[in-house]
Amino acid sequence: MSFKLGSSVGLKASKGNIETKFSFNRDDASIPGNPIERVPLDALGLADKNGTIYINEEIMPGSEIERQTIMEEMKHMTDLKTGKLDYDDNYIYYRGESFERVDGEINYNGKMYPEGDSKLPWEAEAKIFD
């Protein structure tokens, strides 16, 4: 039994030079499987359980801070997808422990920290830059 593979052209190279490239017609900051949306945020970025990464609309596209923010949010996204990290309106769940959320703050070891604070273990682990 035979089948036809199709006639679409992928990457084409000649003498070691790539002549054609795949084009996904997307923002340079896109990540396959994880849409990136620029929105007003109090933080640099946010990884949503629905798979979307939200980036502060004031970050310049293509900048180093954009790249670093996306890398940090992708770490959170990976942790969400593997079950290491989860959240709901009232709690953050990290490595089997629950941490209460109240009005934008998280109770960690008896002290309240703002969401996104680098002293929170899931933030410290995802930290790429200062």
Side-chain angles (χ1 to χ4, degrees):
M1 176 183 283
S2 65
F3 59 94
K4 186 175 180 180
L5 292 175
S7 60
S8 66
V9 176
L11 292 175
K12 182 178 176 185
S14 174
K15 298 180 184 176
N17 296 316
I18 296 177
E19 296 176 1
T20 61
K21 297 179 182 179
F22 290 120
S23 175
F24 296 101
N25 297 322
R26 301 215 33 187
D27 182 350
D28 287 339
S30 68
I31 298 168
N34 294 98
I36 295 178
E37 294 184 21
R38 296 178 184 284
V39 296
L41 286 176
D42 291 334
L44 294 176
L46 176 93
D48 194 306
K49 289 194 310 185
N50 71 9
T52 303
I53 292 175
Y54 297 99
I55 299 293
N56 188 314
E57 66 185 3
E58 294 180 12
I59 295 176
M60 183 183 304
S63 67
E64 181 64 16
I65 196 161
E66 178 195 56
R67 186 186 70 77
Q68 293 172 340
T69 300
I70 290 170
M71 287 173 55
E72 284 189 16
E73 297 312 318
M74 277 308 298
K75 174 66 173 115
H76 290 314
M77 193 63 67
T78 300
D79 290 347
L80 286 164
K81 288 180 178 183
T82 61
K84 184 177 187 179
L85 176 67
D86 198 6
Y87 66 89
D88 59 32
D89 290 340
N90 302 311
Y91 290 92
I92 299 286
Y93 307 98
Y94 183 68
R95 293 186 174 201
E97 293 185 59
S98 302
F99 304 95
E100 186 178 24
R101 299 172 80 181
V102 180
D103 297 326
E105 294 191 327
I106 298 166
N107 185 345
Y108 177 67
N109 290 339
K111 186 174 178 186
M112 299 303 283
Y113 293 92
E115 291 181 354
D117 193 300
S118 62
K119 293 180 182 116
L120 298 168
W122 53 90
E123 296 293 348
E125 188 175 289
K127 193 95 173 128
I128 304 295
F129 65 102
D130 293 323

